[in-house]
Amino acid sequence: MAQSKDQIMSSIDVRRVSTINVRPASYIDEQASDTSKRMDLLFLNDTYMQRGFLFAQQHDEENSVNDKISHLKTSLSPSLKVQNLSTPLQTYPWRTLSPRHVPQAIIDRLFLLTGVRNFQGQSHPLLSIQVTELTNGIFIGCSANHCVCDGTSFWQFINSWSEITSCSTYSCPPPVFERWFINKTDCPLRLHLSSNEVRPLDGLVERCFHFTKPNIAALKARVTLEIISETKQNMLVISSLQAILALVWTTVIRSRSCLNDNWDEIRELKIKILMNSRTKLIPPSPETYFGNSIATGIVTLKEGDLVKWPGFGFLASMLNEAVKSNNYEKSRSFTESWIEKSLISSPGGYTRIIGNRFLARSSRWFNMYGNNFGWGQPIAIRTGANGNLME
């Protein structure tokens, strides 16, 4: 029997155990005031990043759940000193969870700061972590201010926290906070931020798809062969990610056109890919640069062209070109134009659901599954509601 969202949430017994503030080791007030000097502006109106880890609970007598959570708090302090962030860590127990199907309504409760925008970081913590004890597992939900870090920096912090938790040491290179500015910038910048409430995407269903390595390899080979056959481009190297994105988005558009007789053949479709631009700058920024260094690759095409192409190679080749265009000149041009006309994007909601746009982010190169906080490696990585609210 299907349950409504209200029935699902009312059946969950939630009890808050504790709420604490964890400060960086050797914390001083000057560190907090200096944080504002290292915040980026592009994502001011977007919502916090949310990523979570699901661990299978290990039933051992030597280290209870409370002991491991206590150690988690202890190891967080030196991790924050390395990355210079402040965070409250909250602990909850959860009584009921289905092992096969987890409604999004439950996942959303595993994260803090849902719907909070990055510019509200003046009155909210820049990083919040919620540890939830499940019936047979542990979930660690992290919410981070996107003005402070991008995905690369976020996962560097998580990896260092995991390393300190597991071995009490930190061997990775320290983060670099120095910012780069274009000369003759007219300050201050006048920004227009929206005060509209961020509404949840009620009524939509989230689905997670898992691609096995053999399936990815077969798809990549098929797409590459298709491109060579159609375009005679023997030197074009299509990545696994480009092949998967081409498959997903082409399938979505074709399915929609089959279900809707009034689909628009000349309607413009846009695909955005968020890419790390650290190594593309002149001189290049170190990979340990802690902040936002993101370039956006945009693919624009007509819906009819995508539907009529026999396979997935057409879109894959366009994605390949967008990735290749990630260079210093493009990054500098974007920054200069943004300063002249500071456009601040808004998070999603019902009015932001646009059927002709597709956003790809969160690199497969991030070390997501190598983090051990005392329960072994995570068995799943999930995104909170904020991840579905960005355009």
Side-chain angles (χ1 to χ4, degrees), residues 23-304:
R23 287 185 170 183
S26 304
Y27 176 89
I28 57 176
D29 292 339
E30 286 75 8
Q31 290 177 327
S33 62
D34 186 56
T35 302
S36 61
K37 300 177 183 179
R38 292 193 289 266
M39 296 186 70
D40 301 316
L41 303 180
L42 183 61
F43 297 105
L44 271 177
N45 214 31
D46 282 319
T47 50
Y48 276 49
M49 294 187 294
Q50 292 182 323
R51 298 292 185 273
F53 305 86
L54 177 62
F55 299 93
Q57 186 169 327
Q58 301 173 354
H59 301 283
D60 57 307
E61 297 180 357
E62 295 183 0
N63 295 304
S64 66
V65 171
N66 291 334
D67 291 336
K68 291 181 180 179
I69 292 178
S70 177
H71 180 57
L72 203 64
K73 300 174 185 177
T74 303
S75 63
L76 184 59
S77 183
S79 305
L80 294 172
K81 179 182 179 181
V82 172
Q83 305 294 343
N84 198 19
L85 287 172
S86 298
T87 172
L89 183 148
Q90 299 197 7
T91 305
Y92 297 83
W94 215 293
R95 300 302 182 189
T96 305
L97 183 66
S98 170
R100 294 186 178 179
H101 174 65
V102 182
Q104 188 62 34
I106 295 180
I107 295 295
D108 294 344
R109 297 287 295 273
L110 304 180
F111 294 91
L112 298 168
L113 303 178
T114 297
V116 175
R117 302 176 192 246
N118 294 310
F119 71 83
Q120 295 177 292
Q122 298 178 5
S123 56
H124 289 79
L126 301 179
L127 172 69
S128 287
I129 299 171
Q130 175 174 310
V131 180
T132 307
E133 182 181 354
L134 310 172
T135 302
N136 56 354
I138 297 292
F139 192 91
I140 301 178
C142 306
S143 301
N145 192 300
H146 213 323
C147 288
V148 176
C149 60
D150 58 10
T152 300
S153 301
F154 172 81
W155 286 106
Q156 287 174 354
F157 166 74
I158 295 296
N159 298 156
S160 65
W161 182 23
S162 170
E163 183 179 357
I164 293 175
T165 302
S166 58
C167 60
S168 302
T169 60
Y170 179 75
S171 60
C172 300
V176 176
F177 295 101
E178 183 179 357
R179 291 297 193 262
W180 170 81
F181 296 95
I182 293 181
N183 294 332
K184 299 180 180 179
T185 301
D186 184 18
C187 294
L189 298 177
R190 304 300 178 183
L191 304 177
H192 302 282
L193 301 176
S194 171
S195 59
N196 297 331
E197 181 182 359
V198 180
R199 292 181 292 175
L201 301 179
D202 292 331
L204 298 185
V205 178
E206 178 181 299
R207 287 291 182 263
C208 296
F209 296 91
H210 176 71
F211 295 87
T212 64
K213 288 185 177 181
N215 287 340
I216 294 175
L219 174 63
K220 181 179 177 180
R222 172 184 171 183
V223 169
T224 301
L225 182 62
E226 177 189 327
I227 294 175
I228 294 176
S229 175
E230 294 290 337
T231 66
K232 311 304 179 184
Q233 299 183 56
N234 295 322
M235 302 302 293
L236 192 62
V237 179
I238 299 297
S239 71
S240 299
L241 179 61
Q242 293 162 12
I244 291 175
L245 293 178
L247 167 67
V248 171
W249 190 231
T250 302
T251 302
V252 168
I253 297 301
R254 287 176 180 166
S255 299
R256 189 171 62 187
S257 66
C258 293
L259 296 174
N260 184 6
D261 295 333
N262 297 322
W263 67 281
D264 192 346
E265 183 174 354
I266 63 172
R267 182 170 65 160
E268 185 177 82
L269 304 175
K270 282 190 175 182
I271 300 179
K272 294 184 178 181
I273 309 177
L274 300 185
M275 300 174 289
N276 181 5
S277 62
R278 286 165 173 78
T279 60
K280 305 297 181 179
L281 302 178
I282 302 177
S285 297
E287 277 298 318
T288 55
Y289 167 78
F290 197 92
N292 285 275
S293 184
I294 299 176
T296 303
I298 301 179
V299 172
T300 303
L301 68 160
K302 295 293 189 295
E303 186 168 352

Side-chain angles (χ1 to χ4, degrees), residues 52-56 139 368-369 377-382:
F53 305 86
L54 177 62
F55 299 93
F139 192 91
M368 302 182 186
Y369 287 90
Q377 293 185 338
I379 59 177
I381 306 292
R382 296 302 300 267

Side-chain angles (χ1 to χ4, degrees), residues 370-383:
N371 299 287
N372 186 345
F373 297 101
W375 294 277
Q377 293 185 338
I379 59 177
I381 306 292
R382 296 302 300 267
T383 299

Side-chain angles (χ1 to χ4, degrees), residues 334-350:
F334 170 79
T335 303
E336 290 175 337
S337 62
W338 188 88
I339 291 176
E340 293 178 1
K341 188 177 181 181
S342 304
L343 297 177
I344 304 294
S345 60
S346 298
Y350 283 121

Side-chain angles (χ1 to χ4, degrees), residues 295-343:
T296 303
I298 301 179
V299 172
T300 303
L301 68 160
K302 295 293 189 295
E303 186 168 352
D305 295 336
L306 191 61
V307 172
K308 294 177 181 178
W309 185 272
F312 313 110
F314 174 63
L315 181 54
S317 61
M318 296 187 71
L319 292 171
N320 184 271
E321 290 299 321
V323 172
K324 288 181 179 179
S325 68
N326 181 15
N327 54 37
Y328 171 72
E329 289 75 17
K330 184 175 181 180
S331 296
R332 183 180 179 89
S333 175
F334 170 79
T335 303
E336 290 175 337
S337 62
W338 188 88
I339 291 176
E340 293 178 1
K341 188 177 181 181
S342 304
L343 297 177

